[in-house]
Amino acid sequence: MPIDLDKALGAELEPIEFSWTSSDIQLYHLGLGAGTDPMDERELRYLVDGTPQVLPTFGNVAASFHMTEPPKVQFPGIDIELSKVLHASEAVSAPGPIPTSGTAKSVQRFTEIWDKGKAAVIVSESTVTDESGKVLWTTKRSIFARGEGGFGGERGPATSNELPDRAPDVEIALPTLPQQALLYRLCGDRNPLHSDPAFAKAAGFDRPILHGLCTYGIGCK
């Protein structure tokens, strides 16, 4: 179904109420590879019982952390097959440390929708508040929907990053566990693209791929 800009752009979804515990934080960090060296205190600080140090990128997954069904890309004016969707960008901003446990409310709205011809880029922002209304963090993300362009919208800004023509300042080698995508999907992203070989092949990949949000969290860590 073509994207309906009049319905989609500016649409605000119903608030989502959710809770999390320090065990959720620990599982998220394990999904990013924390504790690969179980003797490294810098690694173990993310896995301490009760009071783990919380990576701010937990805020990007907290609202959907306990979901066990594949996500649906069905919103006002938007209805896209999951196999066509790829993560494009992600951001989080927090005025202070994310608590190790709590209850909060997330409100998501669609702020930009660009027609790239053969694809669409859909941008949304979410604001997360605690029970008193205090903002805990905000997130911004975009998805790239293949085959969903051509609906008559604006093309939007061109974005590209030029790598400097010199050696990197620092290189860090991080192993990717063979089962890392299967572990990370327990953090709420049950998209079969990351676990089902047949689904991944139908989407154009030779095998299930690692979640973009996992790579994102690894970069933050």
Side-chain angles (χ1 to χ4, degrees):
M1 183 181 76
I3 292 173
D4 186 334
L5 275 181
D6 292 335
K7 291 182 178 180
L9 196 57
E12 184 173 288
L13 305 185
E14 289 294 320
I16 297 174
E17 294 188 0
F18 62 97
S19 299
W20 70 98
T21 69
S22 60
S23 292
D24 296 327
I25 301 290
Q26 290 171 308
L27 176 57
Y28 173 69
H29 291 160
L30 285 170
L32 302 180
T36 301
D37 181 353
M39 299 298 290
D40 185 343
E41 291 186 4
R42 286 173 57 85
E43 291 291 308
L44 294 177
R45 62 181 169 166
Y46 298 115
L47 303 169
V48 174
D49 286 338
T51 58
Q53 181 171 327
V54 185
L55 286 167
T57 50
F58 177 74
N60 297 90
V61 302
S64 59
F65 196 88
H66 294 120
M67 293 182 180
T68 57
E69 296 295 327
K72 293 182 179 180
V73 192
Q74 296 176 343
F75 308 108
I78 300 171
D79 189 353
I80 302 171
E81 290 182 26
L82 187 59
S83 61
K84 295 183 177 180
V85 173
L86 292 173
H87 217 114
S89 67
E90 192 80 18
V92 62
S93 175
I98 292 179
T100 56
S101 62
T103 297
K105 178 176 68 176
S106 175
V107 176
Q108 181 182 11
R109 62 189 182 91
F110 294 93
T111 58
E112 301 167 64
I113 301 177
W114 306 117
D115 187 343
K116 299 296 185 180
K118 294 183 178 180
V121 174
I122 302 169
V123 183
S124 65
E125 296 181 0
S126 297
T127 300
V128 176
T129 56
D130 66 12
E131 294 172 295
S132 72
K134 175 185 175 182
V135 175
L136 295 176
W137 65 84
T138 58
T139 65
K140 181 176 182 178
R141 70 179 42 166
S142 65
I143 59 173
F144 185 85
R146 297 176 295 174
E148 295 297 325
F151 53 87
E154 295 182 17
R155 185 169 180 82
T159 57
S160 62
N161 293 306
E162 293 283 339
L163 292 177
D165 186 18
R166 59 178 176 81
D169 299 313
V170 178
E171 291 187 13
I172 302 173
L174 299 172
T176 301
L177 303 176
Q179 72 275 28
Q180 192 136 11
L182 296 174
L183 176 59
Y184 184 82
R185 70 192 299 267
L186 301 182
C187 299
D189 190 339
R190 302 302 179 101
N191 187 337
L193 179 64
H194 309 292
S195 60
D196 184 334
F199 186 96
K201 186 175 181 179
F205 300 94
D206 62 352
R207 61 185 300 159
I209 62 175
L210 187 62
H211 305 67
L213 275 180
C214 183
T215 305
Y216 172 76
I218 291 170
C220 177
K221 175 179 169 297

